[in-house]
Amino acid sequence: MRMRIDIITVLPELLENPLHASILKRAQDKGLVEIHLHDLRDYSSDKRHRRVDDYPFGGQAGMVLQCEPIDRAIAVLCAERTYDEVIYTSPDGETFNQPIANQLSLCKNLLILCGHYKGIDYRIREHLITREISIGDYVLTGGELAAAVMADAIVRLIPGAIGDEQSALSDSFQDNLLAPPVYTRPSDYNGWQVPEILLSGHEANIRDWELQQSIERTKRLRPDLLS
Ligand code: ADE
């Protein structure tokens, strides 16, 4: 099953590069996922200026994305396929985390609408959006980077997206434990030594050491994950 992610944005150029490099590029090249960018301005009824925003009712500062182009863009896409979720990126959504990434990675079709300026006309959120997601308690200038973060976290979980399938399962957070430290050659770098146990060749002891390290690091750095 090939996954499909559609992203509606006023800044497609901000998303082009992150979506076409590294794992995200390879997953698309391998046919595991299709990611399509849609410029909201293409759906503007204002053919001359391609305007998609207007002043907010009530006189506050900033601009608000209008209902019409968003409604039209979502309608066109929803006429072509059924979306598992129509996601809006917003600092006031539920906070994105590994369980949400796991859940979304099982979807067939995802539609992500990137917020911008002061936000979007709230009626879109009331009537068309099925899920609102924030990537953390800070405010970005738009939802594009949030969409890129989510796409990255979701796509790398698709079987075959990363070389060694084990490695997605052993990520930090997958079992509520931070990952253990990793090292590579040389085993002695100017006197900085790799822990002896990793050079011992005792598979079972090494796994046990890694688990102890994971537990110790989680207790020290993220005790909230253990409770
Ligand atoms: N748009 C602006 N800030 C955001 C955030 N923290 N998460 C998701 N979308 C946003």
Side-chain angles (χ1 to χ4, degrees), residues 64-76:
V64 175
L65 293 180
Q66 294 171 290
C67 280
E68 192 187 18
I70 298 175
D71 182 31
R72 197 179 281 161
I74 292 178
V76 165

Side-chain angles (χ1 to χ4, degrees), residues 89-91 133-136 138-143 146:
T89 56
S90 172
I133 300 181
S134 162
I135 60 161
Y138 40 83
V139 179
L140 304 166
T141 46

Side-chain angles (χ1 to χ4, degrees), residues 90-159:
S90 172
D92 54 13
E94 62 180 319
T95 308
F96 191 64
N97 58 16
Q98 195 63 50
I100 297 176
N102 293 347
Q103 193 187 10
L104 295 178
S105 75
L106 301 175
C107 292
K108 168 117 184 72
N109 298 308
L110 289 177
L111 179 49
I112 303 177
L113 170 65
C114 300
H116 215 63
Y117 309 110
K118 283 240 40 121
I120 62 173
D121 191 304
Y122 203 77
R123 289 168 288 186
I124 294 293
R125 298 172 66 169
E126 290 170 323
H127 297 286
L128 298 179
I129 298 298
T130 63
R131 195 155 188 179
E132 303 186 325
I133 300 181
S134 162
I135 60 161
D137 287 344
Y138 40 83
V139 179
L140 304 166
T141 46
E144 286 72 20
L145 296 177
V149 165
M150 288 194 287
D152 186 291
I154 292 166
V155 169
R156 65 188 294 285
L157 294 171
I158 299 172

Side-chain angles (χ1 to χ4, degrees), residues 7-221:
I7 303 177
I8 302 172
T9 167
V10 287
L11 284 172
E13 65 275 18
L14 190 55
L15 280 166
E16 284 291 347
N17 283 330
L19 295 179
H20 293 106
S22 185
I23 305 282
L24 282 171
K25 172 171 166 32
R26 213 177 60 196
Q28 290 172 89
D29 291 347
K30 280 183 168 178
L32 300 173
V33 63
E34 284 176 39
I35 305 180
H36 297 271
L37 295 174
H38 306 274
D39 188 339
L40 185 63
R41 294 180 199 285
D42 292 344
Y43 297 88
S44 171
S45 54
D46 170 13
K47 292 299 164 222
R48 194 202 287 226
H49 299 106
R50 293 161 50 83
R51 190 168 169 183
V52 290
D53 60 357
D54 209 333
Y55 294 98
F57 283 122
Q60 306 93 321
M63 302 297 274
V64 175
L65 293 180
Q66 294 171 290
C67 280
E68 192 187 18
I70 298 175
D71 182 31
R72 197 179 281 161
I74 292 178
V76 165
L77 290 166
C78 286
E80 288 165 4
R81 66 197 62 78
T82 304
Y83 287 92
D84 299 285
E85 298 279 9
V86 180
I87 297 167
Y88 174 58
T89 56
S90 172
D92 54 13
E94 62 180 319
T95 308
F96 191 64
N97 58 16
Q98 195 63 50
I100 297 176
N102 293 347
Q103 193 187 10
L104 295 178
S105 75
L106 301 175
C107 292
K108 168 117 184 72
N109 298 308
L110 289 177
L111 179 49
I112 303 177
L113 170 65
C114 300
H116 215 63
Y117 309 110
K118 283 240 40 121
I120 62 173
D121 191 304
Y122 203 77
R123 289 168 288 186
I124 294 293
R125 298 172 66 169
E126 290 170 323
H127 297 286
L128 298 179
I129 298 298
T130 63
R131 195 155 188 179
E132 303 186 325
I133 300 181
S134 162
I135 60 161
D137 287 344
Y138 40 83
V139 179
L140 304 166
T141 46
E144 286 72 20
L145 296 177
V149 165
M150 288 194 287
D152 186 291
I154 292 166
V155 169
R156 65 188 294 285
L157 294 171
I158 299 172
I162 43 184
D164 174 6
E165 276 192 40
Q166 269 312 107
S167 70
L169 295 175
S170 60
D171 288 336
S172 283
F173 303 112
Q174 278 301 12
D175 45 13
N176 269 350
L177 288 176
L178 301 182
V182 292
Y183 303 85
T184 188
R185 286 181 292 186
S187 61
D188 178 337
Y189 176 72
N190 297 341
W192 298 347
Q193 304 287 344
V194 167
E196 199 64 45
I197 178 98
L198 294 177
L199 311 175
S200 70
H202 289 120
E203 190 72 15
N205 292 355
I206 291 173
R207 294 292 91 82
D208 193 51
W209 177 85
E210 288 176 338
L211 179 62
Q212 293 315 313
Q213 289 289 314
S214 287
I215 294 170
E216 187 281 316
R217 296 188 74 241
T218 310
K219 275 186 187 156
R220 181 161 48 87
L221 302 169

